[in-house]
Amino acid sequence: GSGSKKGTKTGGTGSTTNPPPPPKPSTYDGFGFDDNANKVWDELDRYIENRYPNDANKQASLNQMAKALQAGVKAGNAKDDSAAQSARAAISKANYCLLERMGSVEVMNKESSSLEVEMLKSGANRSKAYQEFNALLSGGFYGSDQRENPCE
């Protein structure tokens, strides 16, 4: 016997020891994950894809609304009046896009409300920030000039 050999081989398996891969940067923004980097929280992506699996136009209109609702959450969390007004305008524009793509006010309202409920399911911090967003807008009357080319 000549003693043990030095090297990276382990036990008799023939495998080598590799360091673990570096962790991926987190896509969590304080309210949700966006692992595919499309600016829509992942659970809302799944909801939208499951809702309209074969209709890219309807998915795109719901993605636009999801981004607008998320902007509202972030504005409320920051207690930022200017960001709240921008988010409100984006939500209005997204509603016009939903109306255009869904074909009726009834379906637009249903889809917008359902997406909002889905968004609010994921955590108290989201709900609290969204309530704050709505509080920032309270007392105002808002018209909209978002009817022309509403879909992004």
Side-chain angles (χ1 to χ4, degrees), residues 3-58:
S4 65
K5 294 181 183 178
K6 290 186 177 178
T8 57
K9 297 266 182 197
T10 58
T13 65
S15 67
T16 57
T17 326
N18 292 321
K24 291 181 181 171
S26 176
T27 63
Y28 187 71
D29 65 3
F31 299 100
F33 289 90
D34 182 19
D35 287 344
N36 65 356
N38 70 342
K39 297 187 172 33
V40 174
W41 293 322
D42 294 337
E43 84 280 353
L44 296 181
D45 274 334
R46 287 188 294 278
Y47 169 82
I48 291 166
E49 288 166 10
N50 289 334
R51 193 107 176 107
Y52 292 102
N54 301 312
D55 193 325
N57 282 333
K58 288 181 179 174

Side-chain angles (χ1 to χ4, degrees), residues 31-139:
F31 299 100
F33 289 90
D34 182 19
D35 287 344
N36 65 356
N38 70 342
K39 297 187 172 33
V40 174
W41 293 322
D42 294 337
E43 84 280 353
L44 296 181
D45 274 334
R46 287 188 294 278
Y47 169 82
I48 291 166
E49 288 166 10
N50 289 334
R51 193 107 176 107
Y52 292 102
N54 301 312
D55 193 325
N57 282 333
K58 288 181 179 174
Q59 284 182 20
S61 64
L62 286 168
N63 280 330
Q64 183 177 335
M65 178 58 80
K67 291 173 190 173
L69 290 170
Q70 290 172 198
V73 167
K74 291 173 183 177
N77 184 62
K79 297 180 174 53
D80 182 331
D81 284 310
S82 176
Q85 292 300 327
S86 294
R88 180 211 50 81
I91 289 169
S92 177
K93 185 175 180 180
N95 268 321
Y96 279 114
C97 181
L98 281 172
L99 176 60
E100 185 177 289
R101 300 260 171 97
M102 299 295 171
S104 74
V105 171
E106 293 77 20
V107 178
M108 173 203 75
N109 285 333
K110 179 180 169 222
E111 293 300 334
S112 182
S113 296
S114 296
L115 184 61
E116 185 178 45
V117 166
E118 192 66 26
M119 178 197 69
L120 293 173
K121 283 181 183 177
S122 295
N125 63 338
R126 250 189 226 181
S127 295
K128 186 175 187 309
Y130 196 65
Q131 287 172 349
E132 188 64 39
F133 163 66
N134 283 297
L136 288 170
L137 300 178
S138 69

